[in-house]
Amino acid sequence: MVARTVTALTRILDIVSIIQGDQRVQTVFTTDPTNTAIFRAGLDRFLVKLGVEVLPWEQATATRFDLAIAASENDRLDAIDAPILLVPHGLGYQKYYPNSRIVAGMNPDRLLREGRVLPTVIALSHRDQHTQLAAICPPASAHAVVIGDPSLDRLLAGRHRVHGYRAALDAAGKTLVVVSSTWGPHSLFGRFPRLPEELAGALPVDEYRVVVVLHPGVWSAHGQWQIRAWLGRAAELGLHVVPPTDNWQAVLCAAHCVVGDEGSFALYAAALDKPILLAAGTGANTVPGSPLALLAERATVLGPGADLADQIAAAISTHQPDAWAPAVRKAVQWPGRSARMLRPLLYELLDLAEPATEAVFAPAEVPTPTNHQVPTLVVGAREDGHILALQRFPRSHGDRRPEPFDHRHLVADLDRASYRELSSASILRIGGDADGPELFSTEADAMLAQWPNAELIATRAGRAELLVRTRHELLSVRAPQPPPGFDPMLLASAAFVRHAQGRGLVGVDKLRVGARVIAMVSAAVG
């Protein structure tokens, strides 16, 4: 396995997954130390994280192998003593190299050496790419084989795990919006670097979860510290930033809507029939007439100046099934059948008998669970019959949202909110589960004395239960049947509103959060 960049390595891992359990096959990895790719940064750390066997380039190129797999024609393929399978490092061949009209993945100067085609086999995802390759590099077209797209097939194999994916991403019961960006000045992140933060601040936290997936090249070019620094404020608003070596396929499977640019991620989203919004001006290097160009012609362009929440809601509600089918049909032949096309080819190159088991790709693993609470929320309420409707936003949009709700108030986390936010908050949240009513009440009384603007102190007493201390009483507030993803701090806001209305807090009430109605039961303690 010839690893050039993190992007190329993730593609190679999809390929090798189809044979990695065969005990007749030993798989080792190598990387060229003279590789000057700007996106090489992070590759060595990823290889260490995988725990794979990595051979020095000098040893790898001095050894005869039964098969070499590479995902870039820019590797020194002529130095490798093995049959070579060359695969694309994206979905097809959609992009020009920057400042050129050379199609990435089909550079004749890299595919040929003294007239000899270096790869033994060039894997394509669609027969149209064979025509494309024949026009660009005629000798190489004789080595081309259409195998479909392994990464797409892994996505398709994981569709039944979508609920587990969403739960791990803290998106259970919410609409998951995935922001994706390729690399370079014409990418979404290059043109609109504040868009992830704006989306995180514009969407109600109980109804939406925003996740961003940046191309590994972005991380390589700028470094992890810089990316996390740039997105630090967005993370405080609830944005989850997917690390470059984590499982992007699970994230895409889980998405309800994708906000992206003209990169492979958007085309994979189209293949999964997801609602898509594309950022304007991100197609400078897109090959005209390519499936990606066709998708861009059909997709709605995100208007940065327009209401982001309205645009997301409209993209989801107006999405028509198979809207992207013309672009997807031009990008991938035989969706779902790549394993059956690829595995026989691999074993033929290895000169081994293919196993009798069914050739299938395993679905993407469930991501590491993430759960991030926003330090400070602005909350509003309104009467909806006998139901109290609540809506909560991150503090960044507290100057205008929620509208047209009443009883606006701040909820601040004692350990994570700023001094200014704590000073103006009506509800303070004490982290951790309560150690018991008496200890909590004592601590809460001290907090109420320290923060005179606070009306309530709340702490968790269970998965869907709070202990709430007002200036007059101690309450247990719970939701007997909480929906997925329920945050019990909603109960504190409901108690605050009922207290402001002069109502008694003990008894049964009903809340509406988005489209969900939740029962609330309050009882005095002590």
Side-chain angles (χ1 to χ4, degrees), residues 5-358:
T5 63
V6 172
T7 307
L9 180 52
T10 56
R11 177 53 61 109
I12 288 172
L13 291 171
D14 283 341
I15 298 291
V16 74
S17 69
I18 201 71
I19 60 169
Q20 65 186 20
D22 193 327
Q23 295 181 347
R24 298 171 297 172
V25 180
Q26 163 72 35
T27 303
V28 298
F29 294 71
T30 191
T31 179
D32 186 351
T34 68
N35 172 6
T36 59
I38 189 173
F39 298 149
R40 189 187 189 281
L43 176 62
D44 293 334
R45 289 192 300 271
F46 191 15
L47 288 166
V48 170
K49 178 182 177 181
L50 291 171
V52 298
E53 181 70 20
V54 180
L55 291 185
W57 180 255
E58 294 78 9
Q59 180 181 353
T61 54
T63 305
R64 172 67 183 177
F65 284 91
D66 298 293
L67 175 63
I69 301 178
S72 173
E73 84 275 31
N74 293 315
D75 287 310
R76 288 193 288 160
L77 302 179
D78 58 323
I80 297 171
D81 186 10
I84 298 171
L85 171 64
L86 180 64
V87 300
H89 58 266
L91 181 47
Y93 303 87
Q94 319 278 343
K95 292 285 190 175
Y96 293 121
Y97 283 114
N99 305 312
S100 77
R101 280 299 178 259
I102 298 174
V103 177
M106 293 187 174
N107 187 349
D109 292 339
R110 301 290 186 175
L111 293 173
L112 304 177
R113 188 70 76 244
E114 298 178 351
R116 178 174 69 91
V117 179
L118 296 177
T120 308
V121 176
I122 300 172
L124 308 175
S125 63
H126 195 280
R127 59 174 173 265
D128 286 356
Q129 295 161 14
H130 192 279
T131 304
Q132 186 182 12
L133 181 61
I136 294 172
C137 185
S141 65
H143 294 249
V145 175
V146 178
I147 64 162
D149 188 273
S151 294
L152 173 59
D153 284 12
R154 289 204 73 192
L155 285 163
L156 296 174
R159 286 176 295 181
H160 67 286
R161 292 189 175 183
V162 64
H163 296 296
Y165 294 157
R166 287 172 181 162
L169 293 166
D170 195 24
K174 302 176 183 178
T175 297
L176 180 62
V177 178
V178 176
V179 183
S180 70
S181 178
T182 185
W183 55 273
H186 298 287
S187 67
L188 180 146
F189 196 53
R191 287 180 55 79
F192 309 105
R194 292 194 66 245
L195 181 60
E197 178 182 336
E198 291 170 354
L199 274 167
L203 299 172
V205 298
D206 298 298
E207 300 169 50
Y208 290 88
R209 175 75 158 137
V210 184
V211 172
V212 64
V213 179
L214 300 177
H215 189 284
V218 180
W219 295 86
S220 296
H222 301 289
Q224 294 199 24
W225 179 90
Q226 184 64 79
I227 295 300
R228 297 196 182 283
W230 280 338
L231 293 174
R233 176 56 182 159
E236 289 180 0
L237 302 181
L239 179 80
H240 174 54
V241 184
V242 178
T245 56
D246 270 21
N247 191 341
W248 65 271
Q249 290 161 321
V251 176
L252 179 52
C253 274
H256 290 95
C257 180
V258 171
V259 178
D261 54 19
E262 293 187 34
S264 288
F265 195 97
L267 203 49
Y268 281 120
L272 294 185
D273 202 20
K274 304 286 186 179
I276 298 171
L277 287 166
L278 291 184
T282 60
N285 296 319
T286 302
V287 175
S290 66
L292 192 53
L294 182 58
L295 173 64
E297 292 173 5
R298 291 172 170 263
T300 300
V301 175
L302 181 76
D307 187 283
L308 293 173
D310 289 346
Q311 292 183 79
I312 295 294
I316 295 172
S317 64
T318 63
H319 177 66
Q320 297 295 319
D322 296 325
W324 322 119
V328 175
R329 282 196 295 266
K330 284 180 63 68
V332 185
Q333 204 158 346
W334 308 309
R337 295 172 55 190
S338 179
R340 283 175 280 172
M341 308 296 295
L342 174 63
R343 196 175 75 170
L345 173 62
L346 291 173
Y347 278 105
E348 180 183 348
L349 292 168
L350 287 165
D351 195 24
L352 286 174
E354 185 181 6
T357 57
E358 183 183 4

Side-chain angles (χ1 to χ4, degrees), residues 271-464:
L272 294 185
D273 202 20
K274 304 286 186 179
I276 298 171
L277 287 166
L278 291 184
T282 60
N285 296 319
T286 302
V287 175
S290 66
L292 192 53
L294 182 58
L295 173 64
E297 292 173 5
R298 291 172 170 263
T300 300
V301 175
L302 181 76
D307 187 283
L308 293 173
D310 289 346
Q311 292 183 79
I312 295 294
I316 295 172
S317 64
T318 63
H319 177 66
Q320 297 295 319
D322 296 325
W324 322 119
V328 175
R329 282 196 295 266
K330 284 180 63 68
V332 185
Q333 204 158 346
W334 308 309
R337 295 172 55 190
S338 179
R340 283 175 280 172
M341 308 296 295
L342 174 63
R343 196 175 75 170
L345 173 62
L346 291 173
Y347 278 105
E348 180 183 348
L349 292 168
L350 287 165
D351 195 24
L352 286 174
E354 185 181 6
T357 57
E358 183 183 4
V360 294
F361 281 108
E365 294 297 321
V366 175
T368 302
T370 176
N371 186 1
H372 177 79
Q373 286 190 313
V374 179
T376 308
L377 295 165
V378 58
V379 187
R382 69 166 179 241
E383 293 290 348
D384 186 4
H386 297 292
I387 298 173
L388 182 66
L390 295 175
Q391 196 171 58
R392 306 191 301 173
F393 288 87
R395 178 68 175 88
S396 69
H397 281 236
D399 58 337
R400 65 182 184 91
R401 291 181 181 270
E403 296 177 345
F405 284 51
D406 302 316
H407 300 288
R408 272 180 34 155
H409 59 279
L410 290 184
V411 179
D413 186 278
L414 186 65
D415 296 323
R416 300 177 60 237
S418 68
Y419 182 88
R420 183 177 180 181
E421 290 167 337
L422 289 168
S423 298
S424 55
S426 300
I427 300 174
L428 301 183
R429 178 177 64 214
I430 299 177
D433 290 343
D435 293 324
E438 292 184 4
L439 288 175
F440 166 70
S441 185
T442 300
E443 185 178 4
D445 285 343
M447 294 297 101
L448 289 170
Q450 181 180 359
W451 306 101
N453 286 328
E455 297 289 339
L456 299 178
I457 309 294
T459 192
R460 290 177 62 114
R463 187 175 75 86

